[in-house]
Amino acid sequence: MSDVDGDINRSREHVYGGRKHSNLSNLERNCNEMFAKGPALTKDFFEKIQNDVVPPKTDLFGYTMNTRRFILLTGLIILFTFSTIGTITMWFTEVYKKQINSLLVITDEAPTYEMWRSPTVKPYIKIYIFNYTNVERYEMRKDKKLHVEEIGPYVYYEKLERVNVRFNKVDGTVSYQEKRTYIFSPELSNGTKHDLVMVPNIPVLAGVSIAKHYNFFLRVSFSGFLSTLSVGAFIPLTVDQFVNGYEDNFYDWAKSYLKFHDMRVFEHFGLLVWKAGLQPDVITVNTGLHDISRRGQVEKFNGQTQIDLWGSDSCNSVQASDGIIYPLTALREKRDLTFYMPHMCRKLSLKFEKTSSILDSIPVHRYKLPLDTFDNEDKCYCTSGDGQCPPKGMFNATPCAFDAPLYYSWPHFYNGDPELRANISGLKDDFLMNDTYANIHPSLGVLVGGKIKFQVNIELQKSFGIGQLSAYPDRLMIPTVWMETGVEPSQLPIDFTTALYQITFTVKNIELGLKYGTLLATMVTLTCILLVLKKQRHNRSRASSHRRSIDYVH
C-alpha cells in the first residue's frame, strides 16, 4: 500500500483503546445488518412457527398424523361438505328455480317493472269489414240474400299502458286501470281510412232489440222517432268513422237512456271507441309475492271475484290469467290454461298443442283455442229468454254489451251452424283457422306472440210495430267485422328479445354450471380425501413394519 493510501485510511479511522470507529451512521449500520441477517432470521421464524406453534404431528381420534397432511385433509373435508350441499341443492331441490322465480314477482322494484307497466310490445289489430253491397235491393225485395264483400285489412297498432297502479303487499296483488291508444298503419293496410262502407247500424239495431220488450204503443212511437231521424238497419260510413267513432243523432238521443240506466256512455260510437283511452274498469291481479304459481292471475274485476251475468258460479268467476302472464306450474305440466276476456265478460280456454321455437332458438309452448270455443256447450252461457242456446258456433255476449244483441263467432261463421249463412252471400266456405295460436315462454310464463281471430255479429231482432225492419227475417245474424290481433316474432322489440335470451340461455347456463360444477367439485374433493387417507394408512403400515423389524433385531 502506498503512503498516500495509508494516510487516507488513517484519516478515516481513529484508534481509542484498541477499537476502531467508522464514520458511517448508526442507521446505515443497522440497515446493513438487517439485510445481511434477514434470510437467517426469516428461516428461524418459520422454523419456530413450525416447531412450536404448528407441531409436526397431530393426534386425531387416537391416530397420529402429519400436521401438514391434517391441514390438507381438513381443507378437503370443508370443500367436500360445501360442494355436497351445493350438489344436493342444485340436483334435488327447487331452491335455484325458486330464487329465479322470485325475480319474476310483479313489483315496482323489479327491473322488469317498466316493461310490465308500459309494454314496448305493440300488438297489431287487423280489421276486416263486411261491406254490404245490396241493402237497397234487398229491402225492395229484389234480392233474396244480403251480399257482403270483405274489404281490408285495416291495420292498427295497440299501445297499452297500466295506470293508477296500486300494490297491496298484504294479499300480494296489484290493481290498475288500462289505457290504450290505437295508431293506424297505412303501409300495412289494404285501403285508406276514407274508404266508404255500408255497415250495420249497431245503435239502431240495439235500440230495436230493447224496444221489443215495451208495449205496442211505445214500439210504434219508437218507430216514428226512427222515421223522423231517417235511420235504418244499415248506415254508410267511412272506415275511420266506423272504427274510431262518429256523431249520430240517434246515438246522441240514446245517451240519455244509457245514463238513466247507469250504463257506460261514450262521446261517439265506434268499433274501437269502447277500448280506446282510459278504461274505468279496475283489474286486480296476483303479483306472485306469496305464491308464484298465481302470478298474473286476475283476482278481482272492479273489486269483485265474480260477475253477475251468467248461469253458474264457474262461468261468473273472473279468476283466470290476464291473457299476458300464465302460471308456470300449469305450463310445465302442459295443462289447459284459461284467460279472462273483459270485452266478452268470460273466460276462454287454451289447450296445449306442441312445443315449438321462435327466433330460431327460443323455446315456446304453443296453445290453441278449441274449435268449440263458441259452441256454448256450457249451458250457463245460454242467456236467451226462452232458455234456448244460440246456434252452434255463436256466443251470446248481449249481457256484456249493455243489452245490445252482440254475438261472437269465428270469421265467416267457421265451424258454425250452416243456417247462419242462409240469408248472407259472399262469405267464404274455405276459411282456414290453422294459424290461430298463442306462444307462451315456458320459463317466464309470458305470452311472446301468436294471433287470435274472432268475428263480431249483431242479431236483428224484429218486433211488431217497428216497420223499419219489415224486410228482414227475425233473428237474422248479421256479420259486421272480423278481427285478427297478435304479435309476430319479428315485431318483438329488442329489449324484450334481450330479456328472453337472458332468461332462456344465460340463466339456464348458470344453472347447468352450478349443477355440474358442484357435482365435479364433490367428486374431486372426495377422491383427494380418499388418496390422503390411503397415503396416511400406507405410512402407518410402513412405520409399524419398521418398529417390528427393530424389535426383532433386539
Side-chain angles (χ1 to χ4, degrees), residues 339-358:
F339 64 98
Y340 188 70
M341 290 283 282
H343 68 270
M344 294 186 184
C345 300
R346 64 167 291 184
K347 296 179 291 186
L348 296 179
S349 297
L350 291 170
K351 292 187 178 296
F352 177 81
E353 181 187 25
K354 63 180 180 178
T355 298
S356 184
S357 63
I358 61 172

Side-chain angles (χ1 to χ4, degrees), residues 43 82 100 236 273 275 413 480 532:
K43 181 180 180 181
F82 281 105
I100 296 301
V273 166
K275 292 183 65 178
F413 297 128
T480 304
V532 171

Side-chain angles (χ1 to χ4, degrees), residues 192-361:
T192 71
K193 295 192 297 182
H194 305 293
D195 292 344
L196 190 65
V197 292
M198 180 67 77
V199 291
N201 195 336
I202 297 178
V204 169
L205 295 179
V208 170
S209 68
I210 295 174
K212 75 175 184 178
H213 300 291
Y214 298 159
N215 60 51
F216 173 75
F217 297 103
L218 288 178
R219 291 199 300 270
V220 171
S221 300
F222 181 73
S223 178
F225 176 70
L226 295 180
S227 298
T228 302
L229 297 177
S230 299
V231 295
F234 290 84
I235 184 173
L237 296 171
T238 65
V239 170
D240 185 61
Q241 289 176 323
F242 182 55
V243 173
N244 295 313
Y246 60 96
E247 294 185 2
D248 181 80
N249 292 332
F250 176 79
Y251 180 69
D252 288 340
W253 171 85
K255 289 179 183 178
S256 301
Y257 174 87
L258 296 174
K259 291 179 180 179
F260 178 78
H261 289 274
D262 198 24
M263 297 181 181
R264 187 179 176 187
V265 177
F266 306 98
E267 183 178 357
H268 303 300
F269 183 85
L271 186 65
L272 294 181
V273 166
W274 59 276
K275 292 183 65 178
L278 179 63
Q279 301 299 296
D281 300 315
V282 178
I283 303 173
T284 302
V285 301
N286 199 300
T287 63
L289 179 64
H290 303 313
D291 184 0
I292 194 63
S293 66
R294 293 200 57 79
R295 179 181 64 108
Q297 299 297 287
V298 177
E299 299 288 352
K300 296 179 181 179
F301 194 78
N302 290 327
Q304 302 296 323
T305 59
Q306 293 204 347
I307 55 179
D308 188 19
L309 296 177
W310 313 116
S312 71
D313 290 342
S314 61
C315 288
N316 280 320
S317 174
V318 302
Q319 296 181 339
S321 167
D322 63 354
I324 303 297
I325 303 176
Y326 293 86
L328 296 175
T329 304
L331 280 170
R332 295 192 187 105
E333 298 175 359
K334 300 176 182 178
R335 300 202 308 260
D336 291 352
L337 305 175
T338 59
F339 64 98
Y340 188 70
M341 290 283 282
H343 68 270
M344 294 186 184
C345 300
R346 64 167 291 184
K347 296 179 291 186
L348 296 179
S349 297
L350 291 170
K351 292 187 178 296
F352 177 81
E353 181 187 25
K354 63 180 180 178
T355 298
S356 184
S357 63
I358 61 172
L359 302 177
D360 297 328
S361 56

Side-chain angles (χ1 to χ4, degrees), residues 104-108 110 113 116 167 174 285-288 295-296 325:
L104 302 178
V105 174
I106 303 173
T107 170
D108 54 358
Y113 170 71
W116 172 84
F167 285 91
V174 57
V285 301
N286 199 300
T287 63
R295 179 181 64 108
I325 303 176

Side-chain angles (χ1 to χ4, degrees), residues 441-460:
H441 195 281
S443 299
L444 279 174
V446 174
L447 183 71
V448 294
K451 60 180 70 173
I452 181 175
K453 301 175 181 179
F454 59 89
Q455 181 171 296
V456 181
N457 311 280
I458 188 80
E459 186 183 52
L460 189 148

